[in-house]
């Protein structure tokens, strides 16, 4: 045997061995369909199957027998009767003798839903032009930089006149300039991987290595990401390693036995979402999932992954059905816990600048930070508690807000326990929950005023930001996954002004270092007055590294304008209003800003200086030192 053939055989054996041990993070090079010589080799892992056949439109869906490697449970066949673009599946004779057509778990392309045959597809080599962006990302510290995310469902942002959704070629031409115009730093997509039911929004996957053909081609998504990077926009994608689609012809009980799922049927079945849970302790499943994450990072140059439903992966009792305690008698799902630590360790070792984000709703498990300290090792965690509390507060009649002021102040008590992203996400604008605009109390004018107030609080509060599409202009209708956004809203002056407000607020956030420079420590914030429940006004400071770099934030939660409002300040001097939610160009009634405030040597709480200003009804203002004496507080 020639030396080259020996090396190839050794590489093949190493790939099988590491796949079985959970250490093959490029398993798509071993399994799936691969061009070789004048044909293709097909491989599928089905250890307990009695027989496996390759079927497709190239052989009239008649079975071509595959050979099994008993040591690995991998079946293989080579054929030269196939061509790129052909459709195929595997006919699996399962452990009990039942025969069923199954998808290729490692396919990189599927036919359009609802059909789910894999398509023979070869990625052309892309010559990327985003080296400058990637170089800057490696040198920057994401925790000390602005991070403002526009969350999207790819196929319901815009539709063509004939009702068909935009592809990524369309999004490249229209979305990228829109993100720049709106001053976002990142865009995040709900899952783009192949899924058979649009109603699942992509959270019940079948193809972990395939972009949904409903959204266009993989090359179009690559070009979209490149265009984002050339315009200084980062790209995140949602990913679902906890559970998968229950459809019988996809991953469930692939060889007729628990293969990808837990052996315990109570642990395998996900009652809450009608799906199947991965056995996250099984080495081959770990190779499969981590390879999927690495594939998306490297093939598409994405800047971060948001891992969905982390709580369902780390707690045995998260689901609605029966559950069994672990060997210690508790509810910890050790398989999921250690898998997530392994996932984050592998990704951060290979790609330190890629951000790993957790959607996790409990407070019992450290999620962000060093794995060595017991954390799961994520970079950021969605602050679900903040989102729920704040939206409850803004929905209520202002007369009750003084008695529920803790809903907007409690987060100051725990805001540094994790590296948080503040989400105003898709989950809050569907299923009868109403849009963010519709949640606001009062008539239409007051609703817009409060939405501007909410977004200002959102932007001034420590934590990175995420806002779901359509919310930037206050769309009144709930989000519909199968329709485009209500772009005709922008013909209304109030919606148009709201969109301008969001764009300018995003720009304000990017340009004020006090809002993100020290965000990973309590030095970033100083509470001025969180006890003014009688007037329902909250005031605090956000601070940067330099002593003179700080902002004073004042939020009025009632429909009463507060004239001659007193507030303490840290230094004597002049303070200038740099943000006011009630300016006419934003949809308010004010035509000019408050006059500059000159401090007076009057005690206010622990402050020796005081200023007076006017705070608009249901409005928010931000002040910045203009000329102050920092030598004496």
């Amino acid at each position: 045997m020639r030396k080259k053939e020996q090396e190839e055989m050794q590489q093949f054996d190493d790939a099988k061995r590491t796949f079985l041990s959970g250490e093959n993070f490029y398993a798509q090079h071993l399994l799936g369909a691969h061009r070789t010589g004048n044909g293709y080799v097909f491989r599928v892992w089905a250890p307990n199957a009695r027989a496996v056949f390759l079927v497709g439109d190239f052989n009239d869906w008649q079975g071509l027998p595959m050979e099994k490697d008993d040591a690995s449970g991998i079946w293989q066949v080579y054929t030269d009767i196939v061509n790129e673009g052909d459709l195929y599946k595997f006919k699996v004779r399962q452990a009990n003798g039942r025969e069923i057509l199954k998808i290729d778990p490692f396919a990189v392309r599927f036919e359009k839903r609802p059909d789910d045959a894999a398509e023979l597809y070869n990625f052309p080599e892309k010559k990327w032009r985003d080296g400058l962006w990637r170089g800057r990302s490696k040198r920057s510290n994401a925790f000390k930089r602005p991070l403002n995310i526009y969350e999207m469902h790819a196929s319901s942002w815009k539709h063509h006149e004939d009702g068909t959704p935009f592809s990524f070629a369309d999004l490249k031409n229209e979305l990228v300039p829109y993100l720049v115009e709106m001053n976002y730093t990142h865009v995040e997509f709900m899952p783009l991987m192949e899924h058979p039911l649009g109603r699942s929004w992509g959270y019940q996957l079948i193809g972990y290595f395939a972009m949904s053909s409903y959204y266009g081609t993989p090359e179009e998504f690559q070009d979209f990401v490149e265009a984002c990077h050339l315009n200084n926009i980062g790209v995140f994608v949602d990913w679902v390693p906890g559970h998968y689609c229950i459809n019988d012809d996809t991953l469930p009980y692939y060889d007729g036995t628990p293969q990808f799922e837990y052996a315990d049927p109570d642990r395998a079945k996900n009652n809450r979402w009608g799906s199947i849970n991965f056995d996250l302790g099984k080495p081959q499943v770990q190779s499969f999932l981590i390879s999927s994450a690495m594939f998306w990072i490297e093939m598409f140059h994405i800047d971060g992954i948001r891992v969905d439903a982390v709580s369902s992966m780390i707690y045995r009792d998260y689901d609605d059905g029966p559950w069994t305690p672990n060997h210690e008698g508790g509810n910890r799902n050790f398989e999921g816990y250690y898998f997530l630590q392994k996932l984050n360790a592998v990704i951060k070792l290979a790609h330190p600048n890629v951000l790993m984000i957790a959607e996790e709703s409990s407070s019992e498990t450290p999620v962000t930070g060093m794995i060595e300290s017991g954390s799961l090792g994520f970079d950021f965690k969605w602050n679900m508690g903040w989102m729920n509390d704040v939206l409850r507060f803004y929905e209520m009649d202002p007369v009750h807000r003084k008695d529920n002021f803790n809903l907007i102040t409690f987060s100051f008590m725990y805001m540094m326990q994790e590296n948080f992203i503040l989400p105003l996400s898709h989950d809050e604008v569907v299923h009868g929950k109403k849009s963010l605009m519709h949640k606001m109390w009062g008539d239409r004018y007051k609703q817009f005023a409060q939405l501007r107030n909410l977004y200002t609080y959102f932007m001034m509060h420590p934590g990175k930001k995420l806002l779901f599409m359509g919310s930037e202009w206050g769309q009144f209708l709930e989000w519909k996954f199968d329709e485009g956004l209500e772009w005709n809203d922008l013909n209304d002056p109030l919606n148009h002004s709201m969109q301008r407000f969001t764009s300018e607020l995003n720009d304000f956030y990017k340009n004020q270092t006090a809002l993100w420079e020290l965000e990973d420590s309590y030095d970033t914030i100083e509470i001025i007055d969180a006890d003014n429940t009688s007037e329902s006004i909250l005031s605090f400071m956000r601070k940067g590294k330099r002593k003179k770099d700080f902002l004073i934030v004042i939020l009025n939660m009632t429909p009463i304008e507060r004239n001659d409002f007193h507030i303490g300040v840290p230094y004597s001097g002049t303070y200038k209003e740099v943000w006011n939610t009630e300016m006419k160009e934003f949809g308010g009634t004010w035509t000019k800003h408050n006059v500059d405030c000159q401090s007076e040597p009057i005690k206010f709480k622990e402050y020796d200086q005081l200023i007076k200003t006017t705070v608009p009804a249901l409005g928010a203002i931000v002040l910045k030192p203009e000329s102050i004496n920092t030598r004496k507080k």
Side-chain angles (χ1 to χ4, degrees), residues 395-410:
E395 283 182 279
M396 68 176 56
D397 189 313
V399 73
H400 301 302
R401 290 178 179 172
K402 64 181 183 295
D403 300 318
N404 294 277
F405 217 58
N406 63 305
L407 291 174
I408 60 163
T409 59
F410 178 62

Side-chain angles (χ1 to χ4, degrees), residues 25 285-294 339 342-343 346:
F25 308 133
V285 172
Q286 294 178 359
S287 289
F288 173 75
L289 289 172
I290 296 176
S291 295
S292 168
M294 292 284 279
F339 165 75
K342 180 178 180 177
L343 166 73
V346 170

Side-chain angles (χ1 to χ4, degrees), residues 40-53:
Y40 282 81
V41 62
F42 296 81
R43 300 191 190 99
V44 62
W45 175 58
N48 296 309
R50 293 187 182 182
V52 181
F53 305 88

